[in-house]
């Protein structure tokens, strides 16, 4: 069941033109089914390495591999024809050198056919971003609270609280923008900082726990539909409670199986009614 492919996919360059204009709508997608559901409604889908925590129950994103990102990236691309699809580079796949980053990013791009990659880091990743961009790999950068550095940051905490920390995040954002990043995700920073970075760089900012002034917003889809109930960061708004709906559906199914209400005649092939006193089992030859 593949979608018609006569729509033109949104490119990162289209999003560049949206800076300071209509906000860019972004969500994560990890699977074909979610991708199919949200493709018409978002500008950008991120195959985020948060899938390690959300889908696989890991306690951080550090255990996610390039192979996992490729498998999920392919699945998301199968469900999408319109949105710009960006795939996250997992921890350890790009930090060592621009060359290692190019090898892994080019593999992700070639195997998934996504529109670009995202990687975490600021000033220290600028050289790599420039290397990738010059070789045809569009890059979305990610600054502020960078989950792959959760241990170095001492936990999932808001960043940029002191003047010094705030200046350093501004420097990060400026460095990755100058290196050629097509957009910058700003995560978990004090609000004035998100607004300031948005004013001070020329490429779109995508906020997650950053500021309403960012050029776009992103959240994890499972968070907004209530499918990842373990932990709800302050910046998440729930638009549906799918966890409750699923639990209720399973309870209803269980009750109907236990009382033989399910399956009903319409769910059966050649149903002749319940076997009992007034309805003895038919001779198999009668069915022919
Ligand atoms: O991995 C992820 O989902 C992200 C976010 C920006 C949502 O990086």
């Amino acid at each position: 069941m593949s979608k018609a492919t006569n729509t033109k996919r949104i490119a990162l360059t289209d999003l560049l033109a949206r800076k300071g204009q209509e906000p860019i709508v972004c969500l994560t997608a990890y699977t074909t089914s979610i991708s199919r559901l949200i493709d018409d409604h978002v500008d950008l889908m991120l195959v985020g390495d948060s899938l390690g925590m959300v889908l696989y129950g890991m306690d951080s994103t550090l255990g996610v591999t390039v192979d996992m990102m490729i498998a999920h990236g392919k699945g998301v691309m199968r469900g999408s024809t319109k949105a710009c699809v960006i795939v996250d580079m997992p921890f350890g796949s790009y930090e060592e050198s621009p060359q290692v980053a190019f090898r892994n990013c080019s593999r992700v791009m070639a195997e998934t056919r996504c529109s670009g990659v995202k990687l975490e880091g600021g000033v220290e990743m600028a050289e790599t971003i420039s290397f990738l961009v010059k070789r045809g790999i569009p890059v979305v950068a990610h600054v502020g609270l960078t989950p792959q550095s959760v241990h170095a940051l001492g936990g999932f905490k808001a960043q940029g609280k002191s003047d010094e920390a705030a200046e350093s995040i501004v420097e990060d954002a400026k460095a990755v923008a100058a290196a050629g990043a097509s957009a910058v995700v700003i995560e978990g920073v004090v609000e004035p900082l998100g607004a300031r970075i948005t004013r001070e760089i020329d490429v779109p900012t995508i906020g997650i726990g950053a500021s309403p002034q960012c050029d776009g917003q992103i959240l994890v889809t499972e968070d907004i539909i209530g499918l990842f109930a373990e932990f709800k960061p302050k910046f998440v708004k729930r638009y549906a409670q799918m966890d409750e709906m699923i639990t209720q559906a399973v309870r209803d199914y269980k009750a109907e199986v236990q009382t033989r209400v399910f399956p009903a005649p319409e769910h059966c092939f050649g149903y002749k009614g319940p076997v009992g006193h007034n309805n003895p089992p038919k001779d198999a030859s009668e069915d022919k």
Side-chain angles (χ1 to χ4, degrees):
M1 221 195 354
S2 67
K3 288 179 77 178
T5 50
N6 52 0
T7 20
K8 188 179 167 297
R9 189 180 287 285
I10 297 170
L12 275 171
T13 44
D14 299 324
L15 298 181
L16 198 54
R18 296 266 293 271
K19 172 101 189 148
Q21 309 291 318
E22 191 196 344
I24 302 166
V25 181
C26 316
L27 277 174
T28 59
Y30 312 136
T31 59
T32 308
S33 48
I34 290 288
S35 167
R36 279 198 183 115
L37 286 171
I38 71 176
D39 188 47
D40 284 340
H41 309 286
V42 298
D43 299 303
L44 183 148
M45 276 194 254
L46 171 70
V47 188
D49 63 349
S50 51
L51 61 80
M53 300 172 77
V54 176
L55 292 189
Y56 291 89
M58 298 174 176
D59 60 1
S60 75
T61 55
L62 301 184
V64 175
T65 65
V66 173
D67 286 344
M68 287 165 77
M69 295 312 299
I70 289 177
H72 285 278
K74 282 180 178 173
V76 168
M77 286 299 287
R78 276 182 220 120
S80 148
T81 57
K82 188 203 125 205
C84 178
V85 176
I86 301 299
V87 176
D88 248 347
M89 295 307 296
F91 177 65
S93 68
Y94 60 90
E95 302 88 332
E96 189 181 337
S97 68
Q99 288 76 9
V100 169
F102 182 80
R103 213 162 298 134
N104 285 316
C105 293
S106 57
R107 196 182 145 214
V108 166
M109 299 271 311
E111 293 188 32
T112 66
R113 304 286 174 182
C114 67
S115 304
V117 296
K118 176 169 83 59
L119 49 85
E120 296 182 6
V123 171
E124 74 287 4
M125 291 313 302
E127 184 193 348
T128 295
I129 292 174
S130 162
F131 188 91
L132 295 172
V133 171
K134 284 183 187 142
R135 286 158 182 79
I137 299 188
V139 177
V140 173
H142 184 156
V143 302
L145 170 51
T146 43
Q148 293 174 9
S149 306
V150 59
H151 296 302
L153 297 174
F156 295 103
K157 307 181 191 156
Q159 302 294 305
K161 288 188 177 161
S162 68
D163 288 350
E164 199 188 350
E167 284 315 315
S168 148
I169 297 171
V170 172
E171 285 320 303
D172 283 337
K174 287 185 173 170
V176 294
S182 301
V184 180
V185 170
I186 309 173
E187 176 164 354
V189 297
V190 291
E191 193 281 330
L193 186 55
R196 176 176 162 199
I197 294 172
T198 302
R199 282 193 306 274
E200 294 190 7
I201 66 173
D202 292 335
V203 296
T205 56
I206 316 270
I208 171 162
S211 167
Q213 302 307 316
C214 287
D215 299 298
Q217 300 294 330
I218 186 162
L219 284 174
V220 167
T221 299
E222 281 73 357
D223 279 339
I224 71 163
I225 62 176
L227 259 191
F228 185 60
E230 284 78 52
F231 170 66
K232 182 181 161 306
K234 178 180 167 63
F235 52 74
V236 167
K237 179 170 177 186
R238 286 256 151 85
Y239 291 84
Q241 285 298 155
M242 293 288 290
D243 52 350
E244 286 168 14
M245 288 174 70
I246 290 174
T247 309
Q248 192 52 51
V250 172
R251 279 203 195 107
D252 292 348
Y253 170 73
K254 179 180 177 187
E256 292 199 356
V257 168
Q258 289 178 332
T259 55
R260 298 193 194 282
V261 169
F262 178 84
E266 65 268 30
H267 307 118
C268 299
F269 301 100
Y271 186 66
K272 304 280 192 308
V275 173
H277 259 333
N278 300 328
N279 191 12
K282 304 240 171 13
D283 189 315
S285 59
E286 289 175 36
D287 253 358
K288 288 189 184 134

